[in-house]
């Protein structure tokens, strides 16, 4: 039976705000393709990010919304309450299954935290793609669109080693979320790029912060109270970098260390240009989101699914070039920060 137009609009509007957890949505009444899907022919895609307010995931959400609107797909954007909120992400997946989405895009807070819910979604015929972070096992999802986080960490390590000088190095490591594939891969890559082992005496200390700026500042202050002779500071992401930089600045140490991070947001690039950070390895969350939405639209149209890992790239942004480590300057970084490269 044909639903009157006014009622359709009301139902659609209600759908756009169906959850308290929902963020801004790219919901649209335009139908996509017209094939036989669970939404009656329209591509309906759920995006579940680690948090709602982290600028990195805001950029991802905005790119997903723009691509969904471009393709006439409906997008529901949800998020955990904090980095590491597995329970919140599981709840989001369950709610999206109830909505009958065709595709779920998720940035897993930890590698295994939402695997059970993902498995149930796939049993129901929903395509699930990981963005930004891999699951464990990797085959828990149909495909992954993400930075090769090991390589990103390796690039930070290589650059900081090249700029740290020839003397004995003392490293502070401001980690992210324990159990997160991103945290593990970036940390391992950094150690490889810097040329030290996990148990190296060169590591003065490390603390996990769940990617929270305030926790990172406190963690760095705690580590500096024990030993303030650090020559190198590794940060898992820019939120960590902002916190650890504040702690180092308060002691007059920021300009005395080789300081690096990963994310490549516009604020991080500005810090590189100002001489605050030595290197910021840029990621491309907008590209991840676009590829995920495109894949969801194609799945609704043809049933075709991507598979495997798709590296969306990373670029170290630095003011000072060093031999053997390809970098882009801050002007390039300002133009491309968190873009669809």
């Amino acid at each position: 039976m044909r639903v009157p137009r006014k009622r359709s609009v009301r139902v659609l509007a209600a759908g756009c705000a169906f959850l308290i957890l929902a963020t801004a949505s790219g919901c649209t009444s335009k139908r996509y393709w017209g094939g036989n899907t669970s939404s009656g022919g329209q591509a309906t895609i759920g995006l579940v990010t680690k948090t709602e307010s982290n600028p990195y995931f805001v950029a991802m959400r905005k790119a997903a919304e723009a691509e969904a609107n471009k393709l006439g797909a409906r997008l529901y954007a949800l998020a955990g309450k904090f980095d590491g909120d597995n329970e919140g992400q599981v709840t989001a997946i369950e709610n999206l299954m109830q909505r009958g989405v065709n595709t779920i895009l998720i940035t897993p807070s930890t590698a295994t935290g939402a695997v059970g819910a993902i498995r149930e979604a796939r049993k129901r015929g929903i395509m699930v793609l990981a963005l930004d972070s891999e699951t464990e096992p990797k085959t828990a999802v149909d495909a992954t669109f993400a930075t090769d986080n090991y390589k990103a960490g390796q690039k930070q390590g290589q650059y900081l080693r090249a700029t740290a000088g020839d003397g004995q190095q003392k490293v502070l490591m401001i980690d992210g979320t324990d159990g997160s594939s991103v945290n593990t891969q970036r940390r391992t890559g950094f150690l490889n790029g810097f040329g030290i082992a996990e148990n190296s005496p060169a590591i003065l200390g490390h603390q996990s912060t769940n990617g929270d700026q305030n926790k990172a500042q406190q963690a760095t202050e705690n580590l500096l109270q024990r030993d303030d002779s650090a020559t190198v500071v590794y940060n898992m992401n820019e939120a960590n970098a902002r916190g650890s930089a504040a702690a180092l600045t308060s002691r007059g140490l920021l300009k005395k260390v080789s300081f690096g991070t990963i994310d490549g947001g516009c604020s991080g690039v500005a810090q590189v240009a100002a001489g605050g950070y030595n290197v910021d390895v840029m990621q491309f969350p907008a590209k991840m989101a676009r590829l995920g939405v495109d894949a969801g639209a194609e799945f609704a149209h043809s049933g075709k699914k991507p598979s495997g890992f798709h590296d969306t790239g990373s670029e170290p942004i630095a003011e000072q070039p060093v031999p053997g480590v390809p970098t882009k300057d801050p002007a390039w970084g300002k133009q491309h920060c968190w873009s669809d490269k």
Side-chain angles (χ1 to χ4, degrees), residues 73 102 104 120 138-139 159 161 167 174 202 206 237 243 246 256 313:
N102 314 126
I104 293 175
E120 181 60 30
K138 297 177 182 180
T139 54
Y159 187 89
R161 186 65 189 85
I174 311 302
H206 63 89
N237 65 11
K256 298 180 180 180

Side-chain angles (χ1 to χ4, degrees), residues 15-17 22-28 61 65 69 74-77:
C16 285
T23 64
S25 171
C27 191
T28 173
R61 185 177 71 238
E65 290 168 358
N69 283 327
R74 292 174 67 183
L75 179 75
Y76 300 101

Side-chain angles (χ1 to χ4, degrees), residues 146-153 185-186 283 309-314:
T147 306
D148 185 322
N149 285 295
Y150 178 87
K151 288 183 179 178
Q185 290 164 2
R186 291 184 184 179
Q283 303 183 87
F309 181 86
H310 301 259
D311 182 11
T312 50
S314 60

